[in-house]
Amino acid sequence: DTAVSQTPKYLVTQMGNDKSIKCEQNLGHDTMYWYKQDSKKFLKIMFSYNNKELIINETVPNRFSPKSPDKAHLNLHINSLELGDSAVYFCASSQDFHTLPGELFFGEGSRLTVL
Amino acid sequence: AQKITQTQPGMFVQEKEAVTLDCTYDTSDPSYGLFWYKQPSSGEMIFLIYQGSYDQQNATEGRYSLNFQKARKSANLVISASQLGDSAMYFCAMREGLSGGYQKVTFGTGTKLQVIP
């Protein structure tokens, strides 16, 4: 039973389209994240939610909108896709800050290719 | 300024030898944590080892150990007896506290390790 699952795993789409990536975790964690990994493998945090509340919103274009319907789900919607959005998007979750070590549990990643 | 610095973009090591992957960090938070993750070519992120800022001893997990030098703000990963399956990208990451009791985990740029038979 996958702890953090993302769908779809692969996404190929045209510039200007809108797409969504879904993430679910069954670990009972309170905190969920979206990270973007670019072609140089650099992992950059985009958003973090704690129990449905937005905690971290890094410098990300407004075209990216996260939504957390409950603490087990964190979805990412991207409007008007651009070539530069091509990347692997990782969802992750962790327990609360006071529970050590507090490592991130990652999904398998969703590879987005914008043509 | 970079919070996490990994200065070795690529490293080679002979099979069965030990290798050290460097990581330095920068934070003013007295309570922080340091992680190492492995990303094989298949793409998944695998948690390897953790060191808390208040931990007195260096962390060890099997063939992985973390050489934590707090005063120098370094948290190097040592892999002993390298195996072919150790070939992967390795990321150092740091957890810092945010206001409200939340946390943020920032990653370094990674080191690509290749184990030579």
Side-chain angles (χ1 to χ4, degrees):
Chain A
D1 202 18
T2 307
V4 182
S5 57
Q6 298 178 226
T7 53
K9 195 169 180 182
Y10 298 97
L11 202 49
V12 181
T13 189
Q14 299 286 332
M15 273 176 56
N17 284 351
D18 303 338
K19 289 293 177 187
S20 292
I21 307 171
K22 296 186 174 183
C23 179
E24 176 182 4
Q25 55 96 2
N26 63 6
L27 297 167
H29 290 166
D30 286 335
T31 308
M32 295 184 73
Y33 310 79
W34 278 110
Y35 281 82
K36 178 181 179 181
Q37 186 173 43
D38 62 22
S39 57
K40 294 183 179 178
K41 300 293 187 181
F42 183 55
L43 268 163
K44 187 177 188 320
I45 189 167
M46 300 173 69
F47 303 103
S48 169
Y49 272 73
N50 182 272
N51 204 7
K52 301 193 295 177
E53 181 185 353
L54 180 66
I55 302 300
I56 296 172
N57 185 350
E58 292 290 290
T59 309
V60 176
N62 290 338
R63 299 181 295 102
F64 290 80
S65 52
K67 280 191 172 54
S68 182
D70 55 60
K71 75 173 194 176
H73 295 84
L74 179 61
N75 304 324
L76 183 65
H77 187 76
I78 316 169
N79 289 327
S80 304
L81 279 156
E82 299 178 357
L83 294 177
D85 298 332
S86 295
V88 179
Y89 292 86
F90 282 99
C91 177
S93 71
S94 69
Q95 291 177 303
D96 65 86
F97 181 61
H98 302 288
T99 304
L100 298 179
E103 76 270 28
L104 301 182
F105 291 76
F106 282 87
E108 291 182 322
S110 296
R111 180 177 293 276
L112 172 65
T113 303
V114 182
L115 303 174
Chain B
Q2 278 282 63
K3 290 269 189 177
I4 294 278
T5 303
Q6 294 181 254
T7 56
Q8 308 152 314
M11 291 274 288
F12 288 92
V13 65
Q14 204 75 40
E15 196 178 4
K16 299 178 186 175
E17 296 291 312
V19 63
T20 299
L21 306 184
D22 295 341
C23 173
T24 57
Y25 60 91
D26 183 27
T27 182
S28 56
D29 186 353
S31 178
Y32 55 90
L34 296 154
F35 305 94
W36 278 92
Y37 281 83
K38 173 183 178 181
Q39 186 178 41
S41 57
S42 49
E44 71 269 32
M45 294 290 290
I46 302 167
F47 166 65
L48 295 177
I49 197 167
Y50 167 81
Q51 180 85 40
S53 59
Y54 294 121
D55 293 343
Q56 295 295 313
Q57 292 191 314
N58 287 344
T60 58
E61 287 288 346
R63 293 186 300 110
Y64 304 108
S65 60
L66 204 153
N67 184 359
F68 181 47
Q69 297 188 46
K70 195 169 181 177
R72 299 174 77 173
K73 294 191 173 180
S74 75
N76 299 338
L77 177 70
V78 180
I79 306 174
S80 63
S82 296
Q83 302 172 355
L84 295 178
D86 293 334
S87 295
M89 280 288 285
Y90 288 81
F91 292 96
C92 181
M94 177 172 64
R95 185 199 70 229
E96 295 174 284
L98 300 173
S99 59
Y102 305 115
Q103 68 175 13
K104 179 177 177 179
V105 179
T106 307
F107 284 79
T109 50
T111 296
K112 184 172 182 178
L113 177 67
Q114 295 185 66
V115 180
I116 305 165

